[in-house]
Amino acid sequence: MTFAELADWYVDTHRKPDGTALRGAARRNLRTDVGHLKDVFGGMTVKQITPDVISKWYFGEHEEGEWVFPRMCQRLKAITDVLADHLEDIGMEDGRDDPHVAADGSIQCGCLLEFDGITAWRAHLATAILKALSRISS
């Protein structure tokens, strides 16, 4: 999955804490923030967005302005925290592991939950990302 695909999905599915769709300025701000992130990371797969890549972006020039940049950072951090918990090689010392497909075809997530197939696992991952992002004000 590319970051652009993830970002588009996020914008399309993001809701207010009460479950209603964003409208007006809140929706425009979300599209703008995510659009800036897509400009930087859009063509990369989520696995290609490494700490080094993020660091170069973070400490680089930011034409979008001082008011937009902090929200972009919050949104990117929320996404990468969830992805790290579910996709990365974190190690069992903290109770997490690499996701993998078991012999029976089930998928074990990095958070150790098991799913019948890829669709259920993707839904789990999407829900985790949305939950993390919902904590950020639009």
Side-chain angles (χ1 to χ4, degrees):
M1 174 184 291
T2 66
F3 184 84
E5 292 169 324
L6 177 63
D8 289 341
W9 170 83
Y10 167 55
V11 169
D12 292 342
T13 59
H14 187 72
R15 299 287 179 260
K16 292 190 250 180
D18 68 3
T20 60
L22 297 177
R23 298 180 334 185
R27 185 146 177 93
R28 282 190 302 277
N29 287 342
L30 176 64
R31 283 193 184 281
T32 298
D33 293 349
V34 172
H36 290 306
L37 291 171
K38 282 175 58 176
D39 290 344
V40 178
F41 305 108
M44 297 178 180
T45 65
V46 292
K47 282 284 207 178
Q48 291 173 315
I49 303 173
T50 63
D52 187 50
V53 169
I54 292 171
S55 181
K56 286 179 184 174
W57 165 75
Y58 185 85
F59 292 108
E61 302 256 339
H62 298 282
E63 297 174 13
E64 63 278 349
E66 64 182 281
W67 298 105
V68 174
F69 181 66
R71 285 194 318 261
M72 292 170 57
C73 291
Q74 290 176 322
R75 293 187 197 288
L76 184 61
K77 182 177 182 338
I79 292 169
T80 56
D81 284 352
V82 170
L83 294 176
D85 287 349
H86 295 270
L87 298 178
E88 302 243 352
D89 180 10
I90 297 171
M92 288 304 292
E93 61 273 0
D94 64 359
R96 297 184 183 276
D97 196 8
D98 287 335
H100 63 275
V101 178
D104 66 357
S106 65
I107 297 175
Q108 184 174 26
C109 185
C111 69
L112 303 181
L113 293 177
E114 290 191 30
F115 301 90
D116 294 349
I118 191 73
T119 301
W121 179 70
R122 285 181 176 165
H124 162 70
L125 184 59
T127 300
I129 291 169
L130 284 176
K131 182 177 178 184
L133 290 169
S134 71
R135 295 185 202 116
I136 300 169
S137 63
S138 298

